[in-house]
Amino acid sequence: VDWTVIAGNGTVSPERSYTNSDGQTSIVWTLGATSGSQSVAASVGSISDPASFSATASSPSVPPAPRILVLHYDGTTVTTQYIDSTASEQLSSVWGSSASNVIALGTGGSGFELRYDGAKWSKTSGTSIGGPVSSQLSVSGTSASDIYAIKYYPKYPTSPPPMTVIIHYDGQSWKTSYTYAPATVWLTLH
C-alpha cells in the first residue's frame, strides 16, 4: 500500500506498507502544523481509486510559560512547589538557612522576594528598598537573621548615576548596608 499526504503538509511513515495475512496494514500519520482539514490517500497498484482518510487539526490553547517556577528535587522526584505565569519578574538567586527558611529573590519592577517556610512559598515585596526599578541579583547569609542581598538600580532614585546597593535582613526588616555608585561593577554574594 502506498501512502500519500494530499492535504495539510503532514507526514506518513512509512510511505509504503505491506498487509498482513488478514489484509491489514498500518502507518503513522502526523498531521501538519496548519489548522484545518488534512487528508492522506492509500493506493494499491491494481485498484484505480485510492482510499482516503481525513482529519481536522486544531491549534491547542497553550497557557503562557511560567515566569516564576520553583522546582524541588528530593533525591528521587522533581516536584513543582511554586508557579506564577502572570508575573513580569524572574528569579535570580536563592539561599536558605534551613529547610524551613529559604529565600529567593527576583528581578523586574521593584524586585520581589519569595519565602519558603517549610510548607509553602509566599511572594512578598520585602526587599523593596529605594527606587521603583531594581534587580535583586544575589542573596546569601549566615542565619535567618543575617541575610545580605545585592540590588542594582539602573536609575536611583529617578536619575543617574546607576548604583549597586547591598541590603541586610536582620530577621525583621531589610535595610541598606552599603551603596556603590559606579554602574560598571556587578557584585555577587557567595
Side-chain angles (χ1 to χ4, degrees):
V1 178
D2 292 317
W3 298 88
T4 307
V5 173
I6 53 177
N9 295 321
T11 60
V12 291
S13 178
E15 292 179 355
R16 176 173 280 180
S17 64
Y18 299 93
T19 61
N20 62 18
S21 61
D22 293 326
Q24 299 173 339
T25 188
S26 65
I27 60 156
V28 174
W29 175 21
T30 304
L31 299 179
T34 306
S35 295
S37 180
Q38 301 192 26
S39 57
V40 65
S43 59
V44 177
S46 62
I47 301 174
S48 60
D49 290 329
S52 63
F53 304 89
S54 62
T56 302
S58 60
S59 298
S61 175
V62 178
R67 297 287 296 180
I68 302 172
L69 176 65
V70 177
L71 302 174
H72 177 258
Y73 179 66
D74 65 7
T76 307
T77 307
V78 176
T79 58
T80 299
Q81 288 194 332
Y82 183 89
I83 188 166
D84 186 345
S85 297
T86 62
S88 61
E89 302 96 356
Q90 297 177 15
L91 289 177
S92 58
S93 185
V94 64
W95 177 83
S97 63
S98 69
S100 61
N101 184 41
V102 181
I103 181 172
L105 298 181
T107 62
S110 62
F112 71 95
E113 170 184 323
L114 285 178
R115 287 283 183 146
Y116 185 69
D117 63 8
K120 67 178 176 33
W121 287 90
S122 300
K123 186 176 180 183
T124 72
S125 59
T127 61
S128 295
I129 295 173
V133 177
S134 67
S135 297
Q136 298 171 142
L137 304 173
S138 186
V139 62
S140 187
T142 61
S143 70
S145 61
D146 187 29
I147 304 171
Y148 287 89
I150 295 176
K151 292 186 78 147
Y152 172 71
Y153 296 94
K155 294 185 177 182
Y156 177 76
T158 58
S159 62
M163 65 176 49
T164 299
V165 177
I166 298 176
I167 57 177
H168 179 256
Y169 184 75
D170 61 9
Q172 300 297 316
S173 63
W174 290 96
K175 294 180 179 66
T176 300
S177 178
Y178 180 77
T179 302
Y180 189 74
T184 56
V185 175
W186 288 85
L187 302 173
T188 303
L189 297 172
H190 297 284

